Amino acid sequence: MIDADRLKKNWSLVAARGDQVPLYFYSTLFLSYPETRDLFPMNMAAQRDKLVNALGAVVSNVDTIDAVVPTLQALGRDHRKFGALRGHYPAVGEALLATLEHFSGAHWTPAIAADWAAAYELVAATMADAADAAAHYTPAWWDAEVVGHERRDLETAIITIAPGTRLDFTPGQSVSLCTSLRPRAWRTYSPANAPRGDGTIELHVRAVDGGEVSSALVSLLRTGDSLRVGPAFGSGLTLRPGSGPVAMIAGGTGVAPMKALIEQIAATPRPVSLYWGARSPAGLYCLDQMQALAARFEWLELVPCVDEDLFGSGARVGSPAELAVAHGRCTGADVYLCGPSGMVESSGKYLVGAGVRADAIHFEPAGA
Ligand SMILES: NC(=O)C1=CN([C@@H]2O[C@H](COP(=O)(O)OP(=O)(O)OC[C@H]3O[C@@H](n4cnc5c(N)ncnc54)[C@H](O)[C@@H]3O)[C@@H](O)[C@H]2O)C=CC1
């Protein structure tokens, strides 16, 4: 029986050492098992945070492991795209335990070691089993051709890809992708369209500061190039059944999954209010597309919002969540939130404080 409290306490002790933890973990892994280096991107900076986040998520849920089984299974299926094999899991487990022992110092006991080993074995077996099962019915990744690349501004591009074989997804889900311009570095985006007859997928990419992959996708990628795409995952933002009102609160390119949801809702319309925020009017990079949708669907209300409007664009000034509440759009509605993680977090708190039921607020948890 795993003592979850003991594990959580030990994890907070180790996690307090910050960046040193993943650094130690990867050094140990690559020294002991050099062949695993090829599974990871050349630049490990982004990868380091991922390990810490993933570990934290698993550990904090170890006492309710049933709740994270679907996530672990999706993770296992997704890891096939890295070339991760069942044989790699023990190597990772060994490096993980060595790292935990190193940072626990005098707090490391045989009982804690046994708890960690058992928790890791459970996680690894769930992931590896799901990966093996998926190998029977789905590819490890899809090769897709870039069939459209439209720069919307210096930092943002709308990229359309055509996977070689059909890639199924549900609006609101995400896919990860990798370009040979930045080998083995995968980043996640949400399709901005409901599934199409021709299988093409629209992705909205903003070059983030220091983001080597997003910058390459925006500035260097060209029509005709190919990308690798991983399986669709996530259920936080998928449409809940019902015919009642929907309020969508989006920030920046977080509008992409909202556009996909709107296209899905068009099949069985219900009232939708989309409050879409950006720092300035220039950040509303696909306002024309969104306005065209609002003109086409009488059940769709579009409210562009900006932090400041120096030149009088006509967008509302204020936070999308606060405006949506002030206009009564969240009352009795299913609310979908997507954008920068800080915005999702603060908007969620604001909505709950304003009386919106927590179970009516939907978003993809950070790091998912
Ligand atoms: N491209 C895609 O397919 C998807 C993108 N996302 C996420 O959406 C985000 C979009 O980023 P950008 O377009 O660069 O947006 P941005 O940085 O330009 O911000 C958009 C809006 O969010 C507000 N905001 C930003 N940080 C905030 C904070 N900490 N607290 C409160 N409000 C805040 C801004 O004031 C602005 O109104 C990214 O974090 C991305 O990971 C999420 C899902 C899909």
Side-chain angles (χ1 to χ4, degrees):
M1 182 73 183
I2 299 171
D3 183 339
D5 281 345
R6 189 162 56 188
L7 270 191
K8 281 185 199 181
K9 274 197 203 110
N10 183 241
W11 172 246
S12 8
L13 179 85
V14 172
R17 304 292 290 274
D19 285 354
Q20 293 177 51
V21 180
L23 205 60
Y24 188 94
F25 167 81
Y26 283 112
S27 314
T28 310
L29 180 66
F30 297 157
L31 267 176
S32 311
Y33 298 94
E35 68 279 12
T36 58
R37 181 64 187 91
D38 284 348
L39 299 174
F40 295 91
M42 258 148 354
N43 180 348
M44 291 289 292
Q47 193 66 33
R48 286 193 177 130
D49 300 338
K50 278 190 199 159
L51 168 82
V52 177
N53 289 342
L55 267 179
V58 169
V59 171
S60 56
N61 283 292
V62 76
D63 41 351
T64 53
I65 194 81
D66 287 351
V68 285
V69 162
T71 310
L72 291 173
Q73 289 173 329
L75 213 56
R77 286 191 289 270
D78 189 58
H79 269 57
R80 296 171 61 226
K81 73 187 183 211
F82 301 125
L85 305 172
R86 189 178 275 276
H88 291 126
Y89 284 87
V92 171
E94 204 180 298
L96 175 63
L97 258 76
T99 306
L100 294 162
E101 180 175 359
H102 176 80
F103 289 106
S104 298
H107 297 276
W108 191 250
T109 63
I112 289 182
D115 273 359
W116 271 113
Y120 178 76
E121 213 164 282
L122 199 61
V123 167
T126 309
M127 287 176 65
D129 288 350
D132 287 351
H136 294 295
Y137 62 87
T138 180
W141 68 78
W142 283 253
D143 286 313
E145 185 186 343
V146 177
V147 293
H149 187 285
E150 187 188 349
R151 281 291 276 275
R152 280 285 162 146
D153 55 41
L154 271 180
E155 301 168 327
T156 322
I158 295 184
I159 298 170
T160 307
I161 59 170
T165 51
R166 193 165 182 86
L167 195 173
D168 288 320
F169 67 94
T170 305
Q173 284 194 303
S174 301
V175 294
S176 54
L177 53 90
C178 179
T179 159
S180 57
L181 296 163
R182 300 288 179 267
R184 300 194 297 278
W186 293 77
R187 294 293 181 274
T188 296
Y189 297 95
S190 243
N193 59 284
R196 293 172 176 161
D198 66 2
T200 57
I201 297 175
E202 177 185 316
L203 302 166
H204 294 190
V205 182
R206 174 156 296 164
V208 294
D209 260 354
E212 46 159 8
V213 177
S214 59
S215 305
L217 293 172
V218 171
S219 307
L220 305 176
L221 195 74
R222 298 282 175 266
T223 301
D225 286 353
S226 52
L227 294 171
R228 276 188 178 181
V229 188
F233 64 92
S235 57
L237 275 177
T238 50
L239 190 65
R240 304 315 191 260
S243 54
V246 168
M248 297 180 173
I249 292 168
T253 54
V255 77
M258 304 304 187
K259 180 169 166 284
L261 288 169
I262 289 166
E263 290 185 12
Q264 180 185 17
I265 290 171
T268 45
R270 57 201 278 197
V272 177
S273 297
L274 168 62
Y275 283 70
W276 177 30
R279 293 178 197 275
S280 69
L284 299 168
Y285 64 93
C286 62
L287 188 59
D288 53 344
Q289 276 191 343
M290 301 314 294
Q291 282 171 332
L293 285 179
R296 195 165 134 214
F297 303 132
E298 77 286 353
W299 43 267
L300 173 64
E301 174 193 36
L302 170 68
V303 183
C305 324
V306 289
D307 298 351
E308 55 176 8
D309 188 14
L310 295 179
F311 304 107
S313 72
R316 297 273 185 163
V317 176
S319 106
E322 289 179 30
L323 289 166
V325 167
H327 298 169
R329 298 301 189 272
C330 298
T331 312
D334 265 313
V335 185
Y336 295 83
L337 278 179
C338 188
S341 53
M343 181 218 137
V344 170
E345 198 180 320
S346 58
S347 303
K349 281 189 189 143
Y350 178 79
L351 291 171
V352 170
V356 179
R357 280 198 345 264
D359 65 357
I361 304 172
H362 312 295
F363 57 92
E364 201 59 70

